[in-house]
Amino acid sequence: MVIKESHAQKLDYAKVADSPEQTINHMLNIAPVEGFVSTSKYTASSLMLGINGVYGFNDKLGFEGYAGIPYFTTKGIKGVSYVQGGAFFNISTKEKMKETKVILNYKRTLDVISSTETYTYLAVPAKVKHVLGLRAGIQHNSSSLRTDGIKIAQAEADFKLTGIYAGIQSTSSHLIKTQLKGEPQAVPTGSIYKLFADVMVYPVSKIDNAFLSDQISSGNLGARAGVVWVQNPYAKKHQTDAYNPFLGRMNMALEIGSRPIDGFYFKGGVYWGIIYR
């Protein structure tokens, strides 16, 4: 049983900065555990080491890359490894005011049958920047497949997908600094949320086994949608010496979709920020 409690505080404070444009636009993250779950009866699910990065060239244009290397797989066959690189182009930017939470205190208490999570926060109005953009890039996936010997004779083969993706993304970000009455330093807080949806086309969809290639239709199309959440998206120059950010440099990426052979899949992981600029 998990019990969650939250309490809004009414305290004297000053908002000393409200600058969503100062959120990071360069970052490199690593996920010690990233999961990939396939619903296909031919391919494996796996745990991977995940890496992702973003480089914002300017307010309009940016580049991103992802990679995953499996180190544990089901079914005794090679799990999916992937590499992806692309760009995004922002076409619309808007700002609006929205009430946001500034975490003041967090506590977790465990006992035999339950855990209780309690946090207190300030409700502070902040500028939130909403950006709509287009995205496109190249993706390569490599894995193995194995038939079960029932409808198709048992066999194993490597399977490769190489192609392009194109879609849209919507990003919301905020970054504020608040200073409580009597406190010597202001506290920064903020977040970035990105939603995306892509269509994927794979000109290369290859099963490296002539027999299985004739028996299994791999297809050439796919689609996906996902979310990326970045907590405390600011460089160290915005962080006060006496303040350790809530959840540190943690961020999260989740993706669901469908593609050849793998069918419907889920991929996700909790990342840790190595570089924030």
Side-chain angles (χ1 to χ4, degrees), residues 221-267:
L221 298 176
R224 65 181 177 184
V227 59
V228 177
W229 171 58
V230 181
Q231 183 73 358
N232 303 310
Y234 47 80
K236 287 186 177 180
K237 66 181 181 180
H238 296 297
Q239 183 175 324
T240 57
D241 294 335
Y243 175 67
N244 293 317
F246 180 66
L247 297 181
R249 294 288 184 248
M250 189 189 80
N251 57 84
M252 178 182 67
L254 300 174
E255 177 183 318
I256 58 173
S258 179
R259 64 187 180 209
I261 301 297
D262 284 320
F264 178 79
Y265 71 87
F266 168 85
K267 180 169 72 70

Coordinates of all heavy atoms in Angstrom, one line a residue, residues 221-267:
L221 N 6.3 -0.5 -42.3 CA 5.8 0.7 -41.7 C 5.7 0.5 -40.2 O 5.5 -0.6 -39.7 CB 4.4 1.0 -42.3 CG 4.3 1.3 -43.8 CD1 2.8 1.5 -44.2 CD2 5.1 2.6 -44.1
G222 N 5.7 1.6 -39.5 CA 5.5 1.6 -38.1 C 5.0 3.0 -37.6 O 5.0 4.0 -38.3
A223 N 4.7 3.1 -36.3 CA 4.3 4.3 -35.7 C 4.6 4.3 -34.2 O 4.7 3.2 -33.6 CB 2.8 4.6 -35.9
R224 N 4.7 5.5 -33.6 CA 5.0 5.5 -32.2 C 4.6 6.8 -31.6 O 4.3 7.8 -32.3 CB 6.5 5.3 -31.9 CG 7.3 6.4 -32.5 CD 8.8 6.2 -32.2 NE 9.6 7.3 -32.8 CZ 10.9 7.3 -32.8 NH1 11.6 6.3 -32.2 NH2 11.6 8.3 -33.4
A225 N 4.4 6.9 -30.3 CA 4.2 8.1 -29.5 C 4.9 8.0 -28.2 O 5.1 6.9 -27.7 CB 2.7 8.3 -29.3
G226 N 5.2 9.1 -27.6 CA 5.9 9.0 -26.3 C 6.0 10.3 -25.6 O 5.5 11.4 -26.0
V227 N 6.6 10.3 -24.4 CA 6.8 11.5 -23.6 C 8.2 11.5 -23.0 O 8.7 10.4 -22.6 CB 5.7 11.5 -22.5 CG1 5.8 10.2 -21.6 CG2 5.8 12.7 -21.6
V228 N 8.7 12.6 -22.8 CA 10.0 12.8 -22.2 C 9.8 13.9 -21.1 O 9.2 14.9 -21.3 CB 11.1 13.3 -23.1 CG1 12.4 13.6 -22.4 CG2 11.3 12.3 -24.3
W229 N 10.2 13.6 -19.9 CA 10.1 14.5 -18.7 C 11.5 14.8 -18.2 O 12.2 13.8 -17.8 CB 9.2 13.9 -17.7 CG 9.2 14.6 -16.4 CD1 8.8 15.9 -16.2 CD2 9.5 14.1 -15.1 NE1 8.9 16.3 -14.9 CE2 9.3 15.2 -14.2 CE3 9.9 12.9 -14.6 CZ2 9.5 15.0 -12.8 CZ3 10.1 12.7 -13.2 CH2 9.9 13.8 -12.4
V230 N 11.8 16.0 -18.1 CA 13.1 16.4 -17.5 C 12.9 17.3 -16.3 O 12.2 18.3 -16.4 CB 14.0 17.2 -18.5 CG1 15.3 17.6 -17.9 CG2 14.2 16.4 -19.8
Q231 N 13.3 16.8 -15.1 CA 13.1 17.6 -13.9 C 14.4 18.4 -13.6 O 15.5 18.0 -13.9 CB 12.9 16.6 -12.7 CG 12.6 17.2 -11.4 CD 11.2 17.8 -11.3 OE1 10.5 17.8 -12.3 NE2 10.9 18.3 -10.1
N232 N 14.1 19.6 -13.1 CA 15.2 20.6 -12.7 C 16.1 20.8 -14.0 O 17.3 20.6 -13.9 CB 16.1 20.0 -11.6 CG 15.2 19.8 -10.3 OD1 14.5 20.6 -9.9 ND2 15.4 18.6 -9.8
P233 N 15.6 21.3 -15.0 CA 16.3 21.5 -16.3 C 17.1 22.8 -16.4 O 16.9 23.7 -17.2 CB 15.2 21.5 -17.4 CG 14.1 22.2 -16.7 CD 14.2 21.8 -15.2
Y234 N 18.1 22.9 -15.5 CA 18.9 24.1 -15.5 C 20.3 23.8 -15.3 O 20.7 22.7 -14.7 CB 18.4 25.1 -14.4 CG 18.2 24.5 -13.0 CD1 19.3 24.2 -12.2 CD2 16.9 24.2 -12.6 CE1 19.1 23.7 -10.9 CE2 16.7 23.6 -11.4 CZ 17.8 23.4 -10.5 OH 17.6 22.8 -9.3
A235 N 21.2 24.6 -15.8 CA 22.6 24.4 -15.6 C 23.1 24.7 -14.2 O 22.3 25.4 -13.4 CB 23.4 25.3 -16.6
K236 N 24.3 24.3 -13.8 CA 24.7 24.4 -12.5 C 24.9 25.9 -12.1 O 24.8 26.2 -10.9 CB 26.1 23.7 -12.3 CG 26.0 22.2 -12.3 CD 27.3 21.6 -11.9 CE 27.2 20.1 -11.8 NZ 28.5 19.4 -11.5
K237 N 25.1 26.8 -13.1 CA 25.2 28.2 -12.7 C 23.9 28.8 -12.1 O 24.0 29.8 -11.5 CB 25.6 29.0 -14.0 CG 24.5 29.1 -15.0 CD 25.0 29.9 -16.2 CE 24.0 29.9 -17.3 NZ 24.4 30.7 -18.5
H238 N 22.8 28.1 -12.3 CA 21.5 28.6 -11.7 C 21.2 27.9 -10.4 O 20.3 28.3 -9.7 CB 20.4 28.3 -12.7 CG 20.4 29.0 -14.0 ND1 20.4 30.3 -14.1 CD2 20.6 28.5 -15.2 CE1 20.5 30.7 -15.4 NE2 20.6 29.6 -16.1
Q239 N 22.1 27.0 -10.0 CA 21.8 26.3 -8.7 C 22.6 26.9 -7.6 O 23.8 27.2 -7.7 CB 22.3 24.8 -8.9 CG 22.0 23.9 -7.7 CD 22.3 22.5 -7.9 OE1 22.1 22.0 -9.0 NE2 22.9 21.8 -6.9
T240 N 22.0 27.1 -6.5 CA 22.6 27.6 -5.3 C 23.4 26.5 -4.6 O 23.1 25.4 -4.6 CB 21.6 28.2 -4.3 OG1 20.7 27.2 -4.0 CG2 20.8 29.3 -4.9
D241 N 24.5 26.9 -3.9 CA 25.4 26.0 -3.3 C 24.7 25.2 -2.2 O 25.1 24.0 -2.0 CB 26.6 26.7 -2.7 CG 27.5 27.4 -3.8 OD1 27.5 26.9 -4.9 OD2 28.2 28.3 -3.5
A242 N 23.8 25.8 -1.5 CA 23.2 25.1 -0.4 C 21.9 24.3 -0.7 O 21.3 23.8 0.1 CB 22.8 26.2 0.7
Y243 N 21.6 24.2 -2.0 CA 20.4 23.5 -2.4 C 20.6 22.3 -3.3 O 21.3 22.4 -4.3 CB 19.5 24.5 -3.2 CG 18.2 23.9 -3.7 CD1 17.2 23.5 -2.9 CD2 18.0 23.8 -5.1 CE1 16.1 22.9 -3.3 CE2 16.8 23.2 -5.6 CZ 15.9 22.8 -4.7 OH 14.7 22.2 -5.2
N244 N 20.1 21.2 -2.9 CA 20.1 20.0 -3.7 C 18.8 19.8 -4.3 O 17.8 19.6 -3.6 CB 20.5 18.7 -2.8 CG 21.9 18.8 -2.3 OD1 22.8 19.1 -3.0 ND2 22.0 18.4 -1.0
P245 N 18.7 19.8 -5.6 CA 17.4 19.8 -6.3 C 16.6 18.5 -6.0 O 17.2 17.4 -5.9 CB 17.7 19.9 -7.8 CG 19.1 19.4 -7.9 CD 19.8 19.8 -6.6
F246 N 15.3 18.6 -5.8 CA 14.4 17.5 -5.6 C 14.5 16.6 -6.8 O 14.4 17.0 -7.9 CB 13.0 18.0 -5.4 CG 11.9 16.9 -5.2 CD1 12.0 16.2 -4.1 CD2 11.0 16.7 -6.1 CE1 11.0 15.2 -3.8 CE2 10.0 15.7 -5.9 CZ 10.1 14.9 -4.8
L247 N 14.8 15.3 -6.5 CA 15.0 14.2 -7.6 C 16.2 14.5 -8.4 O 16.4 13.8 -9.4 CB 13.7 14.1 -8.5 CG 12.4 13.7 -7.8 CD1 11.3 13.6 -8.8 CD2 12.6 12.4 -7.1
G248 N 17.0 15.4 -8.0 CA 18.3 15.6 -8.7 C 18.2 15.8 -10.2 O 17.4 16.6 -10.6
R249 N 19.0 15.2 -10.9 CA 19.1 15.3 -12.4 C 18.3 14.1 -13.1 O 18.6 13.7 -14.2 CB 20.5 15.3 -12.9 CG 21.3 16.6 -12.4 CD 20.8 17.8 -13.2 NE 21.6 19.0 -12.8 CZ 21.1 20.0 -12.2 NH1 19.8 20.0 -11.7 NH2 21.8 21.0 -11.9
M250 N 17.3 13.7 -12.4 CA 16.5 12.6 -13.0 C 15.6 13.0 -14.1 O 15.0 14.1 -14.0 CB 15.6 11.9 -11.9 CG 15.0 10.6 -12.3 SD 13.8 10.0 -11.1 CE 12.4 11.0 -11.5
N251 N 15.5 12.2 -15.1 CA 14.5 12.4 -16.2 C 14.0 11.1 -16.7 O 14.6 10.0 -16.4 CB 15.1 13.3 -17.3 CG 16.3 12.8 -17.9 OD1 16.3 12.0 -18.8 ND2 17.5 13.2 -17.5
M252 N 13.0 11.1 -17.5 CA 12.3 9.9 -17.8 C 11.9 10.0 -19.3 O 11.5 11.0 -19.8 CB 11.0 9.7 -17.0 CG 10.2 8.5 -17.3 SD 8.7 8.4 -16.2 CE 7.8 9.9 -16.8
A253 N 11.9 8.8 -20.0 CA 11.5 8.7 -21.4 C 10.6 7.4 -21.5 O 11.1 6.4 -21.1 CB 12.6 8.7 -22.3
L254 N 9.4 7.6 -22.1 CA 8.5 6.5 -22.3 C 8.1 6.5 -23.8 O 7.8 7.6 -24.3 CB 7.3 6.5 -21.4 CG 7.6 6.5 -19.9 CD1 6.3 6.7 -19.1 CD2 8.2 5.2 -19.5
E255 N 7.9 5.3 -24.4 CA 7.5 5.3 -25.8 C 6.7 4.0 -26.0 O 7.0 2.9 -25.5 CB 8.8 5.2 -26.7 CG 8.5 5.1 -28.1 CD 9.8 5.0 -28.9 OE1 10.8 5.8 -28.6 OE2 9.9 4.2 -29.9
I256 N 5.6 4.1 -26.7 CA 4.8 3.0 -27.2 C 4.6 3.1 -28.7 O 4.6 4.2 -29.3 CB 3.4 2.9 -26.5 CG1 2.6 4.2 -26.8 CG2 3.6 2.7 -25.0 CD1 1.2 4.1 -26.3
G257 N 4.5 1.9 -29.3 CA 4.4 2.0 -30.8 C 4.2 0.6 -31.4 O 4.1 -0.4 -30.7
S258 N 4.3 0.6 -32.7 CA 4.2 -0.7 -33.4 C 5.2 -0.6 -34.6 O 5.3 0.4 -35.3 CB 2.8 -0.9 -33.9 OG 2.7 -2.1 -34.6
R259 N 5.9 -1.7 -34.9 CA 6.8 -1.8 -36.0 C 6.9 -3.2 -36.5 O 6.5 -4.2 -35.8 CB 8.1 -1.2 -35.7 CG 8.9 -1.9 -34.6 CD 10.1 -1.1 -34.2 NE 10.9 -1.8 -33.2 CZ 11.7 -1.1 -32.3 NH1 11.8 0.2 -32.3 NH2 12.4 -1.8 -31.4
P260 N 7.5 -3.4 -37.7 CA 7.6 -4.8 -38.2 C 8.2 -5.8 -37.3 O 9.2 -5.5 -36.5 CB 8.5 -4.6 -39.5 CG 8.2 -3.2 -39.9 CD 8.0 -2.4 -38.6
I261 N 7.7 -7.0 -37.3 CA 8.1 -8.1 -36.5 C 7.9 -7.9 -35.0 O 7.3 -8.8 -34.3 CB 9.6 -8.5 -36.7 CG1 9.8 -8.8 -38.2 CG2 10.0 -9.7 -35.9 CD1 9.0 -10.0 -38.7
D262 N 8.4 -6.8 -34.4 CA 8.2 -6.6 -33.0 C 6.7 -6.4 -32.6 O 6.3 -6.6 -31.5 CB 8.9 -5.4 -32.5 CG 10.4 -5.6 -32.4 OD1 10.8 -6.7 -31.9 OD2 11.2 -4.8 -32.8
G263 N 5.9 -6.0 -33.6 CA 4.5 -5.7 -33.3 C 4.3 -4.5 -32.4 O 5.1 -3.6 -32.4
F264 N 3.3 -4.6 -31.5 CA 3.2 -3.5 -30.5 C 4.3 -3.7 -29.4 O 4.6 -4.8 -29.0 CB 1.8 -3.7 -29.8 CG 1.5 -2.7 -28.7 CD1 1.2 -1.4 -29.1 CD2 1.7 -3.0 -27.4 CE1 0.9 -0.4 -28.1 CE2 1.5 -2.1 -26.4 CZ 1.1 -0.8 -26.8
Y265 N 4.9 -2.6 -29.1 CA 6.0 -2.6 -28.1 C 5.9 -1.4 -27.1 O 5.2 -0.4 -27.4 CB 7.3 -2.6 -28.8 CG 7.7 -1.3 -29.5 CD1 8.3 -0.2 -28.7 CD2 7.3 -1.0 -30.8 CE1 8.6 1.0 -29.3 CE2 7.6 0.2 -31.4 CZ 8.3 1.2 -30.6 OH 8.6 2.4 -31.2
F266 N 6.6 -1.6 -26.1 CA 6.8 -0.5 -25.0 C 8.2 -0.4 -24.7 O 9.0 -1.4 -24.5 CB 6.0 -0.9 -23.8 CG 6.3 0.0 -22.6 CD1 5.6 1.2 -22.4 CD2 7.2 -0.4 -21.7 CE1 5.9 2.0 -21.4 CE2 7.5 0.4 -20.6 CZ 6.9 1.6 -20.4
K267 N 8.7 0.8 -24.6 CA 10.1 1.1 -24.3 C 10.1 2.3 -23.3 O 9.5 3.3 -23.5 CB 10.9 1.4 -25.5 CG 12.4 1.7 -25.2 CD 13.2 1.8 -26.5 CE 13.0 3.0 -27.3 NZ 13.5 4.2 -26.5

